[in-house]
Amino acid sequence: MDQILHEVAFFLKQMMLTMVPFILAAQGTMLAGRTGVFNVATEGIMLTTASVGFIIAFQSNSILLGMVAAMLVGGLFGLVMAYMTTSLKLNQFVIGLAFFFLGTGISTLIPKLIFGVSLVQPVIPTLQNLPIPLLSKIPFLGDIFFNQNILVYVSVLVSLLLYYFLYRTSFGLEMRSVGENPKMADSLGINVFRQRYVAIIIGCMLIGLAGVYLPMVYTGTFTEQITKGRGWLASALCFFGGWRPLPILYGSLFFAGIEVLAYRVQIGTSAIPYQFLIMLPYVATIVVMVLTFKRSTTPKFLGSNYDREKRTL
Amino acid sequence: MEQNEVILQMVDICKAFDGNQALDHVNFELGAREIHGLLGGNGAGKTTLMNVLYGLYKQDSGDILLKGKKLRIASPRDAIRNGIGMVHQHFLQINNWSVVQNVVLGSSVQNKWTMNLAPEVAKLQKLCDRFAIDIDLQVEVGELPMGTRQKVEILKALYRGVDILILDEPTTNLTPQEVDALFVSLKVMVDEGLSIVFITHKLREVLSVCDRITLLRNGKNVTCMPRSEANEETLVRGMVGEDLNVKDSVIFSKEIREGTKIDEVVTPVLEVKGLRHVTEQGIERLKDVTFSIHPGEIFGIAGVAGNGQLELAETLVGVQSKAGGTIKYNGRELNMVTAELLQQGLTYIPEDRLGDGYLPKVNVAQNLILGAQHKQPYSKNGFIDWRKVFEASWEMIKEYNIKTSGPKDTAANLSGGNIQRVMIARAFSHVGDSLMLAHCPTRGLDIPSMDFVYKKLLARKMQGYATLLISEDLDELLLLCDRIGVMYRGELVGILHRSQFDKYEIGRMMSGVKS
C-alpha cells in the first residue's frame, strides 16, 4: 500500500513539473490566437530561447538572467512576427513556418559559435525547489503541489491571470473582439494593430519562458531538439482547450501525464511501446476537436490578417 | 426647412483604389439637426465617402471640416472622439455576446478590472428611454431579429455620444413595418439634437424622410437639393445618367403588369413538396416547404436574409442534401446531383458570387465560359478552342458592359459590380431551357445594369421559361414576380398572387405572421 501511494505521489509530482512548458507555450500561442494571429513558430521560438537562455545563464552564472534573456529573445521574435503579419500583412502560416525553421537553426548555431565543438558539455545547476511555507507541510499533497520550482507556481498563476484578464476585464473583452471580428473592433475605435502586437509579443515571451524551462529543469544543458515537439503540442493544446486559458491548463496536465507515463514506459519494460504513448496527445486533440466541432470556440478570424482598406465585395 | 448652421463639410474628397477613381472631388455638407440623404446607385461612392469620414478609408486628397475646423481622421477612434458614429450595412456584432457587451466594447467602462457593467446598463437604459428604443440589454445579440439588431448598432453610436450619425443603407433586411419604425426614431434623434447622414439607393426613402439630398454618380457630385425642390423625375435622371433610357426601363415603368395565368394542366417546371433540410449541427433550416413553378412564371421568394433562402437554393440545385420531401423537375424526380440538374437545363446564379461562382485567379474568359466549357462551340473533340472562347468573351464583355481590359484580364481585378456582371453574362449566355434559379442577382449592380437584368428576366418569362427569384429586395420582387412566397425561419409562411401583392402584408409575413 505504501509502495503504491509513494508511486502515485511521485507520478503526480512529476506531472506538475512536466506540465509547465506545455502551459506556458500553449497560453502564449493562445493569447496571439485570440487576436486572430495563429503562431505556428512556437517550437522554433522555444528552441532558440532554450539555447540562448541557457547560454546566458551559463555565462552569467545566473538562472534569473537566463530567464530574462529567454523572454527578451521570445519578445523579439514576437515583435518581428507581429511586424510581418500585422503591418506587412504577410501570410501568417508561411511566416510562422519560416520562423520555426529559423529558430531551429539558430538554436544549434549559437552554442556551436560560442562553445565550439567540445567533448565536455557546459552545465548549469537546475532550478531549485521552492517549498511554500506551511502549505508544503500538508501531508501527502503538500510535497506534490507546494514543493516545486518557482515556474510551476508561475505557470498556474499565469493561466489564472489570463483567464481573469480575458473574461473579466474590459481590456480582455477588447482583445477577444479583435480575433472574433477585427472590422467590428476597428469600427468601435479599438486599435487592432496594437492589440495584435501586444498579444503576440507577450505570447512569445511566455513561449520563451517555456523554452528555457527545459534546460533549466530537465537537463541542465542545451541539446539539439530539446523541445521534442512540445511547441507543436502547444498548438494542439490550444485546440484541445478551445483557445481558453483554463481548459488549456487542464489539458496541459493531461498532456504532461502522458509524457511522464511515456517516460516511465521507456525506461521500464512494458508491453506498450512508448511511441504509442507520445502519439496520444495528438490523437486526444483530434478526438476533442471532432467531439466539439459543433460548438467550436476557436476565434473566428484565427489565421487571417486585417486590412482596413480592403474592399469586401 | 429653415437654414441651419453647417456642422460638417467634406471638401474635394478624392479616393482611388488600385487606380480606380472611387471618389472624384466630392463635396458634402451636413447641417445641424438635419437628416441628409446620400443617394446614388451601387458604385456611386456613397459608402466610400462616409468610410472616409469615419476613418476607415484615408482620402487621397481633400479636407474634412467639423464646425469650420479642419480635422484629420486617421481611424474610427478619431471619428468617434469627434462625435461621429456609423451604422454599417452589415452589422458588426459578435453573436454570442450580450447586447451590453457589444455596445460597451471599445469604450471605457467604469469598472475596467471587474467588468461589473451595472453603471453602463443604467446609462444605456436611460438612453433607451430617451430615444424610445425598446431592447432587452442582457440577451445575446445573435438571438435578436434584424430590426432589433440594427437598434443595437444605433445604440452603440448613441452610447458614445455622437452628434453625427451615419446610417449605411439602414433599411436593407428590414420589413416595411420596421422601416417605418426606423424613420420615426430618426425623427426623435434629430429632435434630440443629432444630425444624420442617410445612405440609400432607394428614392422613396429619401423623399419620405430626408430634409436634404445629395446625389452621387460614379464617384462624382451630381446635385444637392432640399427635399421641397426634389422630385422623382430629376432624381431618377440624376441617378442613372445617360446610360439608361428611363422611358424604356423596367424599374421606372409606370405600366401595370398582370400576373401570368397558370395553366394547371401543364406540368410544372419545378414541383417542391414538403422539402426539409437539416444542417450538420442538427438545426432544421427548411420546414415542409411546398410550392411549384410553371412555365412562363417568375416565382419570388421574399424574406429577411437568413430565414432559409440560401438553404432552399442550395437544396434545389443539389449542393446540400435534403432531409425529406420531394423535388420534381419537369415532372421527374431527379437524384439531386448537381451535374445531372445542369444537364437538365438548370441555370444557377448563386448568392455568394465570390465563394460559389467565381474563380478570381484565372482570367475573365475562363470565368465567362465556366460550366459550358465542354459544349459547342467552345470545345471540339475534348479540346477547348480558345479563339472561339475569346471571341465569345469579347461579345459578352460588350453586351454586358463589363469593365475590364479584356478576356485575358485576371478576374480578381474586377470590381464587385463587374464580377456580378460576369456571373449574369455567364448565366444568360449559356441559359438552359428549363429553370433559372437566381439568388440576389442584382446585388451590387448599378441601376442601368439592374434594369438590364430585369429586362432579361422578363424576356425569359415571355419565352415561356420558368424562373425562381430569391431576393432580399422587396421592390424587385414586387416589380417582377407573378407570385411571391414569403419565408420565415425556414417555413413558407404564405404564397401571394400578383393581384394580392401588398408591401405591408408581405412585411407582416416576413416577421412570421401567417396570412
Side-chain angles (χ1 to χ4, degrees), chain A residues 5-311:
Chain A
L5 215 59
H6 183 74
E7 274 287 309
V8 170
F10 183 72
F11 183 82
L12 288 177
K13 193 164 181 184
Q14 286 288 311
M15 207 161 106
M16 292 292 287
L17 190 82
T18 314
M19 74 178 184
V20 175
F22 289 120
I23 296 178
L24 292 173
Q27 304 290 22
T29 309
M30 180 276 296
L31 196 62
R34 288 315 289 252
T35 63
V37 181
F38 193 174
N39 180 357
V40 293
T42 308
E43 175 89 357
I45 297 171
M46 279 175 80
L47 277 168
T48 299
T49 53
S51 169
V52 173
F54 163 71
I55 289 167
I56 298 286
F58 178 76
Q59 305 283 32
S60 68
N61 246 330
S62 159
I63 294 255
L64 184 70
L65 224 56
M67 285 185 198
V68 172
M71 287 177 77
L72 285 179
V73 170
L76 191 68
F77 262 100
L79 179 69
V80 181
M81 181 182 275
Y83 176 71
M84 291 195 163
T85 58
T86 303
S87 298
L88 297 184
K89 301 175 178 58
L90 302 176
N91 186 303
Q92 293 179 10
F93 299 96
V94 176
I95 294 301
L97 283 177
F99 273 41
F100 158 65
F101 287 113
L102 182 76
T104 312
I106 291 178
S107 73
T108 49
L109 179 67
I110 291 183
K112 285 234 170 72
L113 288 179
I114 290 181
F115 301 122
V117 183
S118 75
L119 289 173
V120 193
Q121 282 274 15
V123 172
I124 52 168
T126 50
L127 211 54
Q128 291 303 305
N129 280 359
L130 187 78
I132 294 181
L134 294 176
L135 287 176
S136 61
K137 296 286 181 287
I138 302 172
F140 189 67
L141 296 177
D143 187 53
I144 296 170
F145 294 110
F146 302 109
N147 185 18
Q148 295 279 10
N149 69 65
I150 184 164
L151 286 181
V152 174
Y153 312 131
V154 167
S155 66
V156 175
L157 215 64
V158 161
S159 302
L160 296 177
L161 279 177
L162 278 174
Y163 166 75
Y164 187 84
F165 171 79
L166 282 174
Y167 289 93
R168 291 282 179 273
T169 72
S170 67
F171 307 107
L173 192 75
E174 288 174 15
M175 195 166 265
R176 285 190 287 141
S177 76
V178 172
E180 291 297 326
N181 191 341
K183 176 144 196 173
M184 180 198 74
D186 193 13
S187 82
L188 288 175
I190 293 168
N191 191 332
V192 174
F193 291 162
R194 191 165 64 202
Q195 294 280 350
R196 289 194 166 179
Y197 266 86
V198 168
I200 298 171
I201 292 173
I202 293 179
C204 283
M205 288 170 88
L206 289 176
I207 294 169
L209 204 54
V212 80
Y213 184 85
L214 303 169
M216 281 184 181
V217 173
Y218 291 0
T219 54
T221 186
F222 177 80
T223 48
E224 254 179 65
Q225 298 299 332
I226 191 171
T227 48
K228 292 214 182 89
R230 287 187 185 85
W232 296 112
L233 276 173
S235 297
L237 248 173
C238 288
F239 285 102
F240 185 88
W243 301 83
R244 291 165 300 172
L246 294 186
I248 285 177
L249 177 64
Y250 313 141
S252 302
L253 213 55
F254 169 63
F255 280 27
I258 290 179
E259 191 188 303
V260 174
L261 206 63
Y263 184 67
R264 303 288 297 273
V265 166
Q266 200 182 358
I267 52 174
T269 47
S270 163
I272 318 167
Y274 96 105
Q275 286 89 344
F276 174 77
L277 283 172
I278 56 173
M279 184 186 87
L280 274 184
Y282 294 103
V283 176
T285 302
I286 292 171
V287 170
V288 167
M289 284 181 75
V290 168
L291 292 179
T292 59
F293 88 103
K294 282 180 187 173
R295 42 188 181 84
S296 161
T297 48
T298 306
K300 289 250 154 47
F301 278 74
L302 183 69
S304 55
N305 291 330
Y306 176 61
D307 187 351
R308 182 188 279 166
E309 294 222 348
K310 196 167 179 185
R311 297 172 94 180

Side-chain angles (χ1 to χ4, degrees), chain B residues 256-276:
Chain B
I256 297 161
R257 287 183 302 108
E258 299 269 316
T260 314
K261 289 271 179 304
I262 297 162
D263 188 348
E264 296 293 344
V265 186
V266 181
T267 323
V269 178
L270 176 72
E271 204 177 352
V272 180
K273 259 196 200 130
L275 185 66
R276 288 179 62 236

Side-chain angles (χ1 to χ4, degrees), chain B residues 118-312:
Chain B
E120 281 72 30
V121 170
K123 194 173 158 196
L124 279 172
Q125 208 59 61
K126 238 182 246 163
L127 269 178
C128 287
D129 293 345
R130 186 169 141 212
F131 289 100
I133 298 172
D134 180 26
I135 307 183
D136 182 352
L137 296 171
Q138 302 297 349
V139 286
E140 276 186 17
V141 164
E143 292 170 11
L144 297 171
M146 283 297 170
T148 316
R149 294 185 68 157
Q150 180 168 57
K151 287 182 192 165
V152 175
E153 286 294 295
I154 292 174
L155 199 57
K156 265 191 205 170
L158 294 177
Y159 177 74
R160 284 162 175 74
V162 301
D163 329 301
I164 298 172
L165 181 62
I166 308 162
L167 299 165
D168 189 1
E169 302 274 2
T171 58
T172 325
N173 283 325
L174 297 191
T175 64
Q177 284 83 351
E178 287 172 324
V179 171
D180 288 352
L182 173 72
F183 288 173
V184 171
S185 41
L186 291 188
K187 298 266 197 236
V188 175
M189 284 185 245
V190 169
D191 288 341
E192 290 281 331
L194 264 73
S195 312
I196 293 170
V197 183
F198 186 100
I199 304 177
T200 185
H201 66 275
K202 290 180 183 161
L203 269 177
R204 221 163 307 139
E205 292 177 354
V206 164
L207 290 170
S208 67
V209 75
C210 297
D211 302 313
R212 201 149 50 129
I213 298 154
T214 291
L215 185 59
L216 297 183
R217 187 175 76 238
N218 289 334
K220 292 192 182 87
N221 282 100
V222 177
T223 175
C224 176
M225 59 176 86
R227 181 180 43 191
S228 50
E229 291 167 27
N231 65 54
E232 218 164 300
E233 290 278 331
T234 43
L235 289 180
V236 166
R237 172 74 24 242
M239 267 172 93
V240 300
E242 305 303 315
D243 298 342
L244 180 73
N245 186 344
V246 176
K247 286 210 181 66
D248 288 347
S249 76
V250 179
I251 299 179
F252 304 107
S253 119
K254 300 265 190 283
E255 177 195 349
I256 297 161
R257 287 183 302 108
E258 299 269 316
T260 314
K261 289 271 179 304
I262 297 162
D263 188 348
E264 296 293 344
V265 186
V266 181
T267 323
V269 178
L270 176 72
E271 204 177 352
V272 180
K273 259 196 200 130
L275 185 66
R276 288 179 62 236
H277 173 73
V278 181
T279 63
E280 278 177 356
Q281 282 80 21
I283 302 159
E284 198 175 22
R285 281 285 155 76
L286 291 178
K287 297 171 200 161
D288 196 20
V289 173
T290 301
F291 67 96
S292 58
I293 307 177
H294 295 263
E297 190 185 25
I298 300 180
F299 187 92
I301 295 283
V304 175
N307 275 293
Q309 293 97 320
L310 179 66
E311 288 79 3
L312 177 65

Side-chain angles (χ1 to χ4, degrees), chain B residues 312-314 316-317 329 346-350 435-439 466-470:
Chain B
L312 177 65
E314 297 202 330
L316 288 180
V317 300
Y329 284 95
L346 174 87
T347 314
Y348 177 42
I349 304 175
L435 178 76
M436 173 176 279
L437 201 166
H439 196 171
T467 307
L468 175 62
L469 178 64
I470 303 176

